[in-house]
Amino acid sequence: MRLAGKKVIALVDDEFEDLELWYPVYRVREEGAEVHLAGLEKNKTYIGKYGVPAKAEYSWDELNAADYDGILVPGGWAPDKIRRYSAVLKLVQDFNAAKKPIGQICHAGWVLISAKILEGVTVTSTPGIRDDMENAGAIWKDEAVVTDGHIISARRPPDLPPYGKAFCDALAGE
């Protein structure tokens, strides 16, 4: 398993896009990585837009990017909440500074915008936040998956298969 020994954080809050959280989490786990779900409150169960639960094993405050190899930010309405917390923004900024894989899909770009890490970065997202991404200095492309260095982005659920592969490839250093 090419990701054995790797550790990944997946951010959660209520109204995450169910598929955009669980598909990448399972894809990374299938490759052998350990994935920890993290939310504002440790041990709280968050509910996705379509009713799928996700229990946070950790709170954002107790995590350190130095202990992990990558981070996944799901879409849905959760990113608009998640991006309001300084602990999340610091995590994302620390992953960015260390050039560790950051996966974002759909509306998750809002978190990267608030972390102020998109200046000059080529990305994609749901077309609904294209203006937000461009106003943050990103170069936006309407493609299923865009990889710019350590930042892997995708548009929406139909793009999950190539997004999952691209994120795993980045974690594997390929």
Side-chain angles (χ1 to χ4, degrees):
M1 300 187 114
R2 68 180 177 151
L3 300 181
K6 302 281 187 182
K7 290 173 53 178
V8 175
I9 297 168
L11 302 177
V12 296
D13 203 331
D14 285 322
E15 298 188 81
F16 60 87
E17 208 298 337
D18 306 58
L19 286 173
E20 293 171 0
L21 172 68
W22 287 112
Y23 186 102
V25 165
Y26 289 139
R27 179 71 175 81
V28 170
R29 285 177 177 165
E30 287 170 351
E31 294 264 1
E34 184 178 342
V35 181
H36 295 151
L37 302 183
L40 177 63
E41 296 177 46
K42 181 179 184 171
N43 294 321
K44 178 178 176 181
T45 298
Y46 295 90
I47 304 299
K49 284 173 54 178
Y50 303 106
V52 178
K55 185 175 181 178
E57 302 159 279
Y58 295 91
S59 71
W60 301 320
D61 292 330
E62 62 186 323
L63 297 176
N64 186 329
D67 299 329
Y68 289 86
D69 301 291
I71 188 167
L72 289 164
V73 187
W77 306 128
D80 194 31
K81 300 171 192 174
I82 290 171
R83 69 182 180 158
R84 300 173 196 189
Y85 295 94
S86 60
V88 169
L89 300 182
K90 182 176 181 341
L91 271 175
V92 172
Q93 290 164 347
D94 290 349
F95 274 99
N96 187 59
K99 304 287 187 235
K100 293 181 179 180
I102 298 171
Q104 67 94 19
I105 183 168
C106 200
H107 287 84
W110 278 337
V111 176
L112 280 64
I113 288 168
S114 293
K116 300 185 181 354
I117 66 165
L118 290 180
E119 184 68 41
V121 177
T122 303
V123 294
T124 193
S125 66
T126 179
I129 67 166
R130 175 184 181 167
D131 291 347
D132 302 324
M133 301 290 273
E134 290 177 336
N135 288 337
I139 301 155
W140 191 88
K141 303 243 183 216
D142 188 11
E143 296 175 8
V145 175
V146 174
T147 299
D148 187 347
H150 61 286
I151 297 178
I152 302 94
S153 56
R155 296 175 301 193
R156 51 189 160 257
D159 303 326
L160 282 164
Y163 170 64
K165 180 182 182 324
F167 186 79
C168 288
D169 289 348
L171 270 179
E174 298 173 1

